[in-house]
Amino acid sequence: MKKIDLDLCPEFCYEIFSAAPYAYWLKKKNMLGTITTCKGMKPFYYFCDNVIEKYTMRSLDNHNNGAQTLPNNWIHHNPKISGNKNGIQDYSKWIAPPYGEYYKNDEFVYDKPYVVVYNQFGKDEMLKPLTRYFDLECLYEIFNILTENGYKVIYIRPGDDDFTLDQNDFNHSNIKAFGKGIKSNVDGIGVITDHQLTNYYEDVISFNDLLKNNDYTFNELQLKILANSSGFVTISGGSAILQLLFKKPSVIYATCNRETLPEYWEKDAYYQVISNQNAIPVIDKNDDIYRRGYQDYSLLYKRI
């Protein structure tokens, strides 16, 4: 049987939703050849014997980045089966790799169940003030809610050195109004960052600290941590898609204008399909945030 090679450098969300499940489907059909992909992506293709980590930058050009060769070459809808309805996809050549089963482990087990809080900073849909992130006050409230209800928290916020960047990341990496990273002035303490905030909690663990104390790559450790988690609080986008593949309750904060559409969260849309209906959306539209002049996380707290 002829083997099919994949050559990929699309956005992370495209690769996790469209490419990895197609590659796993090919593997099940004994049709998978070589996978050429971005640096650091090999753990997502653990089932492939020949993975070449070649690319040092992702491309948003879906006509030339490998996405054009995939059954779902446009993540937001599949016109062959849905017209223009967002989030409807073709699953005929799609099997999600069982990351939860493969990466489940006895190493990262604690005295309490834990929830992964997954943040991002430095990327938005347009060149405007950033909105797709949890600020320090929000993180404080999230950590309190979860720890007071008997959970530990593992906090993950990747830096630019932890993944292969695309053009959006480069475009937004120099927005000076926010400086580098998430930080705020805390009464009685001074200015601290989001990662430093974790040090003030007995039951909150920084992923950065785990990474420093282990020999795993960022993605190897990430997959192990996600596999043992009881659930997720996250931002819409590629990281949310990855976490939904573990099929656990996921509270997802969405500000991207496309992903605030109600149809994105219906039972036949991919956020719900790939998670076994475990996606719990919290919608805060960009336009609303700009009009108010601040983000309103109150519904997020209730959902958690």
Side-chain angles (χ1 to χ4, degrees):
M1 185 176 292
K2 182 181 178 180
K3 303 291 185 179
I4 296 178
D5 298 328
L6 299 178
D7 194 330
L8 308 157
C9 60
E11 285 182 87
F12 179 75
C13 59
Y14 277 78
E15 187 155 3
I16 290 301
F17 176 80
S18 297
Y22 176 50
Y24 193 66
W25 180 87
L26 290 173
K27 175 70 173 180
K28 289 294 187 180
K29 298 294 183 180
N30 197 30
M31 296 168 58
L32 181 61
T34 298
I35 297 176
T36 302
T37 182
C38 297
K39 298 290 186 180
M41 289 299 293
K42 190 172 183 178
F44 296 102
Y45 299 105
Y46 67 86
F47 49 85
C48 181
D49 296 328
N50 194 0
V51 177
I52 301 171
E53 293 182 326
K54 173 182 176 181
Y55 297 106
T56 58
M57 183 175 176
R58 295 183 179 276
S59 171
L60 303 182
D61 182 0
N62 290 336
H63 298 291
N64 294 291
N65 60 13
Q68 74 278 2
T69 67
L70 304 173
N72 289 301
N73 56 18
W74 175 241
I75 192 172
H76 300 293
H77 66 267
N78 191 315
K80 292 181 181 178
I81 61 173
S82 70
N84 288 321
K85 188 175 181 182
N86 284 305
I88 305 301
Q89 296 293 351
D90 178 4
Y91 298 100
S92 61
K93 296 181 180 179
W94 194 100
I95 302 176
Y99 295 130
E101 297 173 18
Y102 184 81
Y103 283 103
K104 192 171 180 61
N105 61 89
D106 297 325
E107 187 174 359
F108 299 102
V109 177
Y110 300 94
D111 59 330
K112 300 174 184 177
Y114 67 82
V115 172
V116 168
V117 176
Y118 204 107
N119 204 0
Q120 67 178 33
F121 189 76
K123 181 176 180 179
D124 213 330
E125 294 303 308
M126 297 179 290
L127 283 170
K128 292 182 178 181
L130 304 180
T131 59
R132 297 176 66 193
Y133 75 104
F134 303 136
D135 63 23
L136 202 73
E137 182 178 354
C138 177
L139 290 172
Y140 172 80
E141 295 292 343
I142 293 173
F143 293 168
N144 286 347
I145 292 168
L146 292 171
T147 57
E148 289 170 5
N149 280 278
Y151 290 97
K152 282 187 177 292
V153 173
I154 296 183
Y155 176 65
I156 305 176
R157 178 175 65 80
D160 287 351
D161 296 331
D162 295 321
F163 58 95
T164 304
L165 303 179
D166 61 36
Q167 289 99 321
N168 275 336
D169 298 309
F170 281 109
N171 289 342
H172 294 278
S173 62
N174 294 316
I175 296 180
K176 296 179 181 180
F178 286 82
K180 285 202 170 184
I182 299 169
K183 54 190 175 183
S184 186
N185 193 351
V186 178
D187 289 345
I189 297 177
V191 176
I192 63 171
T193 68
D194 54 333
H195 293 300
Q196 291 171 332
L197 179 64
T198 65
N199 297 327
Y200 291 87
Y201 289 84
E202 181 178 348
D203 285 325
V204 178
I205 302 167
S206 169
F207 182 86
N208 283 9
D209 292 338
L210 293 178
L211 193 60
K212 291 175 185 176
N213 296 321
N214 286 279
D215 294 328
Y216 299 118
T217 65
F218 181 92
N219 283 327
E220 286 172 337
L221 180 59
Q222 175 180 215
L223 287 162
K224 286 177 175 288
I225 293 299
L226 299 184
N228 283 9
S229 177
S230 294
F232 310 104
V233 179
T234 190
I235 307 290
S236 64
S239 60
I241 292 172
L242 171 60
Q243 289 156 56
L244 290 171
L245 293 176
F246 289 83
K247 303 186 186 304
K248 299 171 183 178
S250 300
V251 177
I252 302 173
Y253 181 66
T255 65
C256 170
N257 287 335
R258 182 186 292 114
E259 292 172 357
T260 59
L261 296 173
E263 64 195 56
Y264 242 96
W265 305 96
E266 295 172 0
K267 65 180 182 179
D268 57 346
Y270 69 80
Y271 270 123
Q272 297 295 1
V273 172
I274 67 175
S275 69
N276 196 25
Q277 307 298 314
N278 272 306
I280 305 165
V282 176
I283 306 301
D284 195 5
K285 294 182 180 180
N286 266 316
D287 293 343
D288 293 338
I289 296 171
Y290 300 143
R291 183 171 61 252
R292 291 193 305 261
Y294 63 91
Q295 289 173 273
D296 184 356
Y297 298 107
S298 57
L299 181 59
L300 175 71
Y301 306 146
K302 293 178 181 179
R303 288 282 191 269
I304 295 172

